[in-house]
Amino acid sequence: TSAPPLVELKSLPGTRKTFCEMATAPLNSSFEVYVAKEDFKFHAAHFVAFEGYRERLHGHNYKAGVRVYGSRKISSDGYVIDFGNIKKVTRKVCKELNEHFLCPVLSDVIDIDVSDEAQTVSLKCQDGSSFVFPKSDCALLPIVHATTEELAIYLWSRILQGLHAEWLLERGVHTLEVVVAEAIGQEATFRLEI
């Protein structure tokens, strides 16, 4: 028996190329994959502080999305990247942040003391406010401000670490983008070449 005929792409104007022929697309095209699942979320407390200002302690129901940009050619398995790889890594990162206080350990206006003996994290703010949290309730993040923008950078780095940059580059992925939303209509996007 012979193989079934290839389906022709009729939606692209001026082309009669088959799906297989389009696995390497025209020069002005590229592939991208976007994944944003209902469980790409974390509920966390935070406050933003900078010179002369501190927000009140409050929380958000954060959501995340991940986009990878690939080259003009998809891999021999038919994928830019399997959705499952993105889902596994992103869910893990979100779970690590869920139900924690987001503590910006690189803050230039908050004195932070992490006591391994007492298992506490103490914060002394520029405005005189102080907080003490159980260490297990804190996500100690290498950021300066607990803003959505800096969280997007943090998630980008953790997701890239989990997906392995070398493997992504081998697959033709050249850019990773992470979107973090703290509320409907309030989101930050961080995109950077790998």
Side-chain angles (χ1 to χ4, degrees), residues 3-4 32 48 104 110 121 123-124 142-143 145 148-149 182 194:
E32 64 182 64
V48 174
I110 305 171
V121 176
L123 289 81
K124 178 81 169 154
I143 58 178
H145 308 95
T148 305
E149 294 85 348
E182 65 177 21
I194 299 169

Side-chain angles (χ1 to χ4, degrees), residues 3 7-8 50 56 58 66 85 89 112 128 136 153 160 168 176:
V7 179
E8 291 185 354
F50 51 85
R56 292 175 57 91
H58 64 284
V66 178
N85 296 98
V89 171
I112 300 169
S136 61
I153 296 168
L160 181 63
L168 290 173
L176 175 66

Side-chain angles (χ1 to χ4, degrees), residues 128-139:
S129 301
S130 59
F131 302 88
V132 178
F133 297 102
K135 186 177 175 185
S136 61
D137 287 359
C138 296

